[in-house]
Amino acid sequence: MGCSECCIKCLSGIPYASLIATILLYAGVALFCGCGHEALSGTVTILQNYFEVVRSPVDALDVFTMIDILKYVIYGIAAAFFVYGILLMVEGFFTTGAIRDLYGDFKITTCGRCVSAWFIMLTYIFMLAWLGVTAFTSLPVFMYFNIWNTCQNGTLLDGVKLCFDLRQFGIVSTAEVKQVCTDNTKLSDMCQSNELDMTFHLFVCALAGAGAAVIAMVHYLMVLAANWAYVKDACRMQKYEDIKTKEEQELHDIHSTRSKERLNAYT
C-alpha cells in the first residue's frame, strides 16, 4: 500500500460529524467559560466602584459569594466538557470502525451498544442543562442592556432624572438603597468607563458560547442516533452473515459426505 492510499484509508476512518460537533462544543464551552469568568470579575468591579456594594464580613450568601460560586461552577464545566468531548470523539471512532468493518469491533457487541445508548441519554440531559444555562446567561445580558439603555437615555434627555436600582434585580436586599442616578456623577462615570462596555460584551459572548454548546449537543444527538441505527443494522447483518455462513458450511459438509458415500459405493 502506497503512502497516498494509506492516508486516504486513515482519513476515511475519521468521524467527521463527531469531529465538527466536538470543535463546536469546545469553541462554545471556551467562549462561555472564558468570557463568563471575566464578565463576573468585571461585575464585581462595577458593584464595588460605582454602586458601593461591599462584601459581607460574615459568611453570608451575598452577591459576591454567589459570583465566587459561579466562577467555581465555570471551572467545573470547562473540565467536565473537555473530558466529555474526548469521550464522544472516541465513541465516534469506534462507531466508524464498526460500520466499515462488521466483524470484530467493539461497537457491535452488547457492551458497545449499551455504551452508545448511555451516551445518547447523557447528551440529551446535557442538552437540557445547556438550555438552562443559556436562559440563565440571558439574565445578566438583560440587566446590562438596561444599564446601557439608561446611559443612552441619560445623555439624550436633559433635565430628566433616570436611576438604576439594584433592588429591582434582587442583587441586594430591599432594605439597602444601592442606586445611581443621572444627577450623580457616578452614573456618568460608569457609562463612560471601559468596565461597563467590556462586561456587557463579555456577557453577550458568553451567551453566544452557551448557544453554540446547545447546537453542539443537538449535533451530537443526531450523530449518536444515526450511529445507533447503523450499529443495529450492522448487528442484524452480522447475524445474517453468520447464519448464511453456517448454512453454506452445512451444505458443503452434506455434499462432501454424499460424495464420499458415492465414492465408497463405487469402490
Side-chain angles (χ1 to χ4, degrees):
M1 183 179 297
C3 181
S4 60
E5 295 179 354
C6 183
C7 292
I8 292 174
K9 184 177 180 181
C10 292
L11 292 175
S12 63
I14 296 176
Y16 290 100
S18 298
L19 180 62
I20 294 172
T22 303
I23 294 174
L24 184 61
L25 176 64
Y26 282 167
V29 172
L31 196 62
F32 171 77
C33 294
C35 295
H37 184 273
E38 293 303 317
L40 290 174
S41 300
T43 302
V44 172
T45 303
I46 292 174
L47 291 176
Q48 291 177 341
N49 294 341
Y50 302 105
F51 290 94
E52 297 181 354
V53 181
V54 295
R55 187 181 293 270
S56 178
V58 296
D59 294 334
L61 189 61
D62 57 356
V63 61
F64 297 106
T65 305
M66 294 177 63
I67 288 176
D68 292 337
I69 293 174
L70 289 176
K71 286 183 177 181
Y72 285 111
V73 170
I74 286 175
Y75 299 150
I77 290 175
F81 280 92
F82 176 77
V83 176
Y84 192 66
I86 293 176
L87 292 178
L88 288 177
M89 193 66 190
V90 172
E91 196 270 348
F93 273 106
F94 275 116
T95 305
T96 303
I99 294 172
R100 296 185 181 277
D101 186 5
L102 300 181
Y103 297 99
D105 283 294
F106 170 76
K107 277 289 299 179
I108 59 176
T109 62
T110 303
C111 180
R113 293 195 299 273
C114 291
V115 170
S116 182
W118 178 253
F119 273 126
I120 292 175
M121 183 185 69
L122 279 181
T123 304
Y124 183 76
I125 294 174
F126 286 147
M127 184 196 68
L128 296 179
W130 274 110
L131 283 175
V133 171
T134 304
F136 181 77
T137 310
S138 64
L139 296 178
V141 174
F142 174 72
M143 184 186 70
Y144 275 97
F145 176 77
N146 286 337
I147 298 177
W148 177 82
N149 196 21
T150 303
C151 293
Q152 296 297 319
N153 292 331
T155 57
L156 295 176
L157 300 176
D158 296 332
V160 178
K161 183 179 180 181
L162 299 177
C163 296
F164 186 85
D165 197 342
L166 294 180
R167 293 177 296 180
Q168 297 175 343
F169 300 92
I171 297 177
V172 296
S173 62
T174 56
E176 300 180 73
V177 180
K178 299 296 182 180
Q179 65 179 6
V180 290
C181 301
T182 53
D183 58 352
N184 194 338
T185 57
K186 287 187 177 181
L187 180 61
S188 60
D189 293 340
M190 182 180 66
C191 294
Q192 296 174 3
S193 64
N194 292 326
E195 290 87 356
L196 179 63
D197 187 65
M198 182 62 68
T199 305
F200 178 44
H201 287 87
L202 285 174
F203 271 121
V204 172
C205 292
L207 180 61
V214 173
I215 297 174
M217 290 293 104
V218 174
H219 195 167
Y220 269 129
L221 279 177
M222 293 189 294
V223 172
L224 291 171
N227 290 344
W228 173 257
Y230 288 144
V231 167
K232 287 186 67 176
D233 292 340
C235 293
R236 293 175 181 176
M237 184 62 68
Q238 183 182 9
K239 291 179 181 179
Y240 170 76
E241 293 292 339
D242 292 340
I243 294 173
K244 182 179 178 181
T245 303
K246 185 177 180 181
E247 291 178 351
E248 290 177 352
Q249 185 64 36
E250 290 178 353
L251 291 175
H252 179 72
D253 294 340
I254 293 173
H255 181 72
S256 298
T257 303
R258 289 181 179 179
S259 299
K260 290 180 180 179
E261 290 177 352
R262 291 176 183 176
L263 180 61
N264 292 332
Y266 176 78
T267 303

